[in-house]
Amino acid sequence: MGGMTAQDETSRAAILTVDDDPGVSRAVARDLRRQYGSRYRIVRAESASDALDALRQMKLRGDLVAVILADYRMPELNGIEFLEQAMDIYPGARRVLLTAYADTGAAIDAINVVDLDHYLLKPWDPPEEKLYPVVDALLDAWLESDHRPVPETKVVGHRWSARSSEVREFLARNQVPYRWYQSDEPEGQRLLAAAKADGLALPVVITPDGDPLVEPSDAELAARVGLATTPSKDFYDLIVIGGGPAGLGAAVYGASEGLRTVLVERLATGGQAGQSSRIENYLGFPDGVSGAQLTDRARRQATKFGAEVLTTREVTGLEVRGPARRVTFADGTFLDAQAIILATGVSYRRLGAPGLDDLTGRGVYYGSALTEAAACAGQDVYVVGGANSAGQAAVYLSRFAKSVTMLVRGSSLEKSMSYYLIRQIAGIPNIAVRTCTEVIEASGEDHLEHLTLRDTAQGTTETVDAQLLFLFIGAAPLTDWLDGVVARDGRGFVVTGPDLSPGGERPRGWPLDRGPYYLETSVPGVFVAGDARAESAKRVASAVGEGAMAVMLVHRYLEKP
Ligand SMILES: Cc1cc2nc3c(=O)[nH]c(=O)nc-3n(C[C@H](O)[C@H](O)[C@H](O)COP(=O)(O)OP(=O)(O)OC[C@H]3O[C@@H](n4cnc5c(N)ncnc54)[C@H](O)[C@@H]3O)c2cc1C
């Protein structure tokens, strides 16, 4: 049998180091070899181009690379530029920049540009204190996550099949690597033939093991591509409902502080933030960070601390059972815990214009622009909405599309969008902004072909050719399932703490001597964090912060209910 053991795998994995100073290069390699030589192959290069050549050769041979250490000051490519190119070859390898003290500023910038894992100041003596602990931690992380060759899921579908587009979105948002094949192209047809599929029911998803799934449900997909869907226990200290920034924040803090924590998410972790192409205002990321990257890191952090993360599990009920709090899932199963954090955020509103519902997923997309970006190449694209999410999408799509037209109902962007984005948009020549404009109809045979727009200032209508329309038109909390259990405001947002008892009196039915804590709902032991909370800030940072704060209040509740 040709199967590789774990030992074979790691013995083939490499740690690569590149420094243009031969003396330094040899010294790093020597220190690495001494500590890791028995388990890893140490590959040394004295220029960025040699190192890239070595990486390409290893890629062709199918070798694994665990860690790359690069000097910052090198003549042809500096360390950051080199790591950026190395990342294209080995995205899973952990990256370290070696810098002199004077270059730490550049290293800190690189943390965002190349998603650097660490920077090390030279000299790193003694290596036992300064080098090995860093490399050990990176090897551990690599072994846990990326040491297998990227398993490839294949999706064969049609560009204008709504379910194909949902499946791609689902995989992308869950950071499952996949390759997309159009069913009407030769390779797609070969795959369909191999899967014995007639091509009428699409998409067909081929798992990394080679099993074809015809039109799979999200839950089926999740289970087959390695996402956890069932809890390992039936009782937890804390159940976090929703896997956006607030939920992930709560899971990280809950688990890291010793609470048996499970996070349940109906679709994909990341929530709204996971759909953002670039979050520019989150603390610590001066060059912005993509929602996918932030989500991936947060999810790894939560699981590292021992939180369980379940996807495709929609919560549909909440019940108080003595000291326990029970959540019920859409499939009728349930889970109990001592405390609950609701972090269910908000979901996009739908636009009611005729034709839009039928064409959703077939040229009309809500909320997300990322998966479809490639399809925008050379197209005239429309974006509806005047808030930051629409602005970010327009900026992102303008890199692919021939033109992007923003359709804004209000008379200007100033009222609804951040100043930095308005300026950015003004500076991009292929974005046009049409204010006082509404979509009143969408039409097309099997996909979007035309939009009818109304200019509300002039009272005129116009029909334009359009293949792609992205809608970002505000959001509402999906909290109907809390009806009759947890108090909500008129728009469905969950009311907490002092707002439950404006006159200082206890909320109706409140059973305890104390009043509700700051993020506590009308049910003791049930907290809410993030966008779902009434009067919340609707920002990533505040959602994360509230997740952390809710955990602190859970501790207080558990000590003295
Ligand atoms: C495109 C876009 C760009 C943005 N850009 C920025 C930005 O640059 N800066 C910034 O600060 N903010 C930005 N925001 C806003 C920011 O993303 C939100 O404020 C933040 O995501 C709120 O986090 P949350 O965890 O409260 O909720 P959400 O992110 O909405 O997450 C809620 C999660 O709960 C899940 N869920 C809901 N109901 C259930 C249920 N019953 N059972 C199980 N799971 C459930 C949902 O599927 C979702 O994953 C942006 C938003 C969007 C859409």
Side-chain angles (χ1 to χ4, degrees), residues 250-270:
V252 166
Y253 291 103
S256 70
E257 290 168 15
L259 297 177
R260 286 168 302 166
T261 303
V262 63
L263 180 152
V264 292
E265 161 58 48
R266 82 190 144 108
L267 188 65
T269 44

Side-chain angles (χ1 to χ4, degrees), residues 344-347 349 475-480 488-489 491-494 531-532:
T344 49
V346 294
S347 297
R349 286 209 188 87
L478 292 180
T479 52
D480 286 351
R488 299 173 303 143
D489 70 9
R491 294 186 301 154
F493 290 97
V494 178
D531 282 12

Side-chain angles (χ1 to χ4, degrees), residues 34 46 67 193 212 267 329 339 351 368:
R34 189 148 52 96
E46 291 179 8
V67 176
L267 188 65
F329 294 105
L351 193 63
S368 171

Side-chain angles (χ1 to χ4, degrees), residues 221-264:
L221 260 180
R224 298 300 298 275
V225 295
L227 298 167
T229 55
T230 45
S232 70
K233 309 182 183 58
D234 29 300
F235 194 84
Y236 289 83
D237 295 324
L238 172 64
I239 301 174
V240 179
I241 308 174
L248 286 166
V252 166
Y253 291 103
S256 70
E257 290 168 15
L259 297 177
R260 286 168 302 166
T261 303
V262 63
L263 180 152
V264 292

Side-chain angles (χ1 to χ4, degrees), residues 169-170 172-174 243-244 265-271 295 299 311-312:
E169 172 94 14
F170 176 81
R173 287 187 52 192
N174 279 296
E265 161 58 48
R266 82 190 144 108
L267 188 65
T269 44
T295 303
R299 192 170 58 183
T311 38
T312 65

Side-chain angles (χ1 to χ4, degrees), residues 26-42:
R26 273 194 295 272
V28 185
R30 183 198 59 220
D31 284 344
L32 290 171
R33 203 163 282 127
R34 189 148 52 96
Q35 182 75 0
Y36 306 107
S38 60
R39 288 172 294 148
Y40 293 87
R41 196 150 60 87
I42 311 300

